[in-house]
Amino acid sequence: MFFRYLFFSFIVVLSISCSSIPVKEYERVTALREKATKYDAIKTYSPEEFKLAEADYLKADAIVKAENEEEGKNAKVFLLTSETNYNLVIDKGYPDYANDLKTETDGEIQKNVEIKSEVLFALDIDAANILYQEALVSLESSNYDDTIDKLLLAKEKYTSVYTLVKEKYDKTDTALVDVKTKLSSLESMIKELETLKKKK
């Protein structure tokens, strides 16, 4: 009798655990999803895995939000497969995006060097350089979150400075062209006057 009771209790507990809503798993995978979608570019490195992860997550999400305990077991399966794919997206996307961002930022640095931006905006270039160096330290230690955040800021600063300097140079070039045009017109007028004087 006692053993029958134990067996029955075990079956009840097992059935409850299998059918109940997997809240902990849901919270864990939701956090992973937030990380995988923090930057738009991350999912582009593993698009198929991201698509699969999203599909399974959304199925589980619907079950959890509806508090459908009968589908609890299915929700847990969806969450586990979703977790695997989100991890694949994160493991590939973060380091690849960080390295691509570094390459893009290097390009912005070179553009600023070529037009000597530091002459006009030394403080801004210094601030960008500090962020860039900190990003490199984080990249070296595989702290991709910090690397990406700092590279995005540094790249934005370099791009902004380059744009400002280019605008100043373009205005200067335009002004020089105007001056040259006016000088050319004056020279033409002087020549015409000299010609008229000679005719008299």
Side-chain angles (χ1 to χ4, degrees):
M1 182 75 177
F2 175 74
F3 288 105
R4 284 178 64 191
Y5 173 77
L6 274 179
F7 179 75
F8 178 76
S9 298
F10 174 75
I11 294 298
V12 169
V13 170
L14 186 64
S15 64
I16 290 171
S17 65
C18 287
S19 62
S20 62
I21 303 298
V23 177
K24 286 182 181 178
E25 290 88 344
Y26 177 74
E27 289 173 351
R28 186 177 70 244
V29 179
T30 299
L32 266 182
R33 184 177 188 246
E34 286 170 3
K35 187 174 175 67
T37 56
K38 184 178 178 182
Y39 309 100
D40 288 336
I42 298 297
K43 61 189 175 188
T44 64
Y45 294 93
S46 301
E48 286 304 313
E49 287 80 1
F50 182 78
K51 187 178 176 182
L52 291 169
E54 282 286 277
D56 285 328
Y57 177 83
L58 292 174
K59 289 174 193 171
D61 184 60
I63 294 168
V64 171
K65 286 180 177 172
E67 296 182 356
N68 186 347
E69 292 194 2
E70 289 180 7
E71 289 293 317
K73 187 177 180 181
N74 288 332
K76 190 169 185 176
V77 172
F78 291 140
L79 287 169
L80 289 173
T81 53
S82 179
E83 181 177 28
T84 299
N85 282 304
Y86 279 135
N87 274 319
L88 289 171
V89 171
I90 291 164
D91 291 346
K92 180 168 176 56
Y94 270 77
D96 284 3
Y97 183 41
N99 283 298
D100 284 350
L101 258 182
K102 181 189 175 300
T103 301
E104 290 170 17
T105 307
D106 288 342
E108 293 301 313
I109 290 170
Q110 187 57 36
K111 281 163 64 178
N112 278 285
V113 168
E114 287 169 4
I115 61 170
K116 302 188 185 327
S117 297
E118 74 279 358
V119 174
L120 294 173
F121 294 95
L123 291 176
D124 296 274
I125 290 294
D126 285 346
N129 286 341
I130 289 168
L131 277 169
Y132 179 74
Q133 290 304 320
E134 289 175 352
L136 293 185
V137 171
S138 293
L139 183 60
E140 190 68 29
S141 60
S142 301
N143 184 351
Y144 298 116
D145 266 307
D146 192 60
T147 302
I148 291 167
D149 286 340
K150 284 180 173 154
L151 282 175
L152 284 170
L153 286 171
K155 184 186 168 193
E156 185 182 347
K157 283 181 182 291
Y158 287 125
T159 304
S160 177
V161 170
Y162 177 80
T163 303
L164 289 170
V165 174
K166 190 81 167 56
E167 283 174 2
K168 284 184 179 291
Y169 283 168
D170 288 346
K171 283 178 184 176
T172 303
D173 288 343
T174 303
L176 282 172
V177 169
D178 288 344
V179 169
K180 285 178 181 176
T181 304
K182 287 174 183 175
L183 283 171
S184 180
S185 297
L186 279 171
E187 285 173 3
S188 297
M189 287 173 65
I190 289 167
K191 284 179 183 177
E192 285 176 13
L193 285 169
E194 286 176 351
T195 304
L196 284 170
K197 280 180 182 180
K198 284 178 183 177
K199 284 182 180 178
K200 287 180 180 179

